């Protein structure tokens, strides 16, 4: 069962990356309504307090791009990540001392895609997942997975 869930998670991550790449392409057709032509900054905050790397599955992925197609626009916990078109975090990232990650854009982007899948097989696992677009909270998830394969899976395109 774990192998099947990991396969679905991997396919979900690939979907997010493909969506982010496809939506970051621009067109010469300016006939659509563009409310923020320069784009918007994003901030994603993820806190996982009780990840067991031997039992749990964690996949947090974000991608996006500017109007001119630039996709390496990310920093994680204030460290700029040049050359990375998407940011991915897994169970090992949360198993150490760092329990909260803040993923931010370094410049405004026009396309955003994010996905999260967490499957808990052990003790209760509290999850906090927040997406801010500009200065507005768009997503604010706060829940606890109870174990025995309990999962939290969502995909966002904002």
């Amino acid at each position: 069962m774990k192998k099947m869930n990991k396969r679905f998670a991997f396919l979900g991550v690939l979907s997010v990356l493909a969506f982010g790449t496809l939506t970051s392409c621009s067109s010469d057709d300016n006939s659509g309504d563009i409310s923020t032509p320069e784009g918007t900054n994003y901030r994603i905050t993820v806190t996982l307090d009780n990840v067991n790397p031997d039992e749990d599955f964690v996949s947090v992925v974000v991608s996006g791009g500017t109007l001119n197609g630039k996709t390496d626009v990310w920093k994680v916990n204030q460290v700029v990540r040049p050359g990375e078109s998407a940011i991915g975090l897994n169970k090992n990232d949360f198993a150490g001392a760092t329990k909260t990650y803040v993923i931010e854009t370094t410049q405004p982007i026009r396309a955003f895609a994010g996905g999260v899948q967490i499957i808990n097989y052990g003790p209760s696992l509290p999850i906090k997942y927040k997406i801010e677009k500009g200065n507005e909270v768009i997503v604010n998830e706060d829940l606890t997975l109870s174990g025995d394969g309990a999962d939290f899976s969502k995909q966002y395109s904002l």
Side-chain angles (χ1 to χ4, degrees):
M1 184 67 175
K2 284 185 184 181
K3 204 172 218 180
M4 182 62 81
N5 286 333
K6 288 181 182 182
R7 180 174 290 147
F8 283 121
F10 180 70
L11 292 173
V13 168
L14 288 178
S15 298
V16 168
L17 291 175
F19 177 77
T21 301
L22 291 174
T23 59
S24 68
C25 297
S26 64
S27 156
D28 291 338
D29 180 13
N30 292 326
S31 62
D33 176 29
I34 300 176
S35 58
T36 56
E38 70 282 346
T40 306
N41 282 311
Y42 286 81
R43 171 184 280 193
I44 302 89
T45 306
V46 184
T47 302
L48 302 175
D49 278 325
N50 198 21
V51 173
N52 181 337
D54 295 328
E55 294 182 342
D56 299 327
F57 176 84
V58 174
S59 175
V60 177
V61 178
V62 297
S63 64
T66 65
L67 190 57
N68 64 1
K70 183 173 173 55
T71 57
D72 62 337
V73 295
W74 301 103
K75 64 181 174 179
V76 178
N77 290 350
Q78 298 298 317
V79 177
V80 175
R81 306 280 284 266
E84 293 187 42
S85 60
I87 299 296
L89 302 173
N90 63 39
K91 62 186 176 183
N92 295 325
D93 293 307
F94 294 94
T98 303
K99 305 298 182 189
T100 298
Y101 286 87
V102 178
I103 305 166
E104 301 174 86
T105 55
T106 58
Q107 59 186 278
I109 60 174
R110 289 275 301 151
F112 171 87
V116 59
Q117 182 175 36
I118 301 164
I119 305 171
N120 178 342
Y121 292 101
S124 293
L125 175 59
I127 298 170
K128 292 184 180 182
Y129 185 85
K130 180 168 62 171
I131 300 175
E132 298 170 73
K133 181 179 180 181
N135 292 322
E136 182 182 352
V137 175
I138 303 297
V139 173
N140 195 7
E141 306 280 2
D142 189 352
L143 63 139
T144 300
L145 297 180
S146 59
D148 293 325
D151 73 292
F152 173 68
S153 299
K154 297 245 178 143
Q155 300 219 7
Y156 306 95
S157 58
L158 308 167

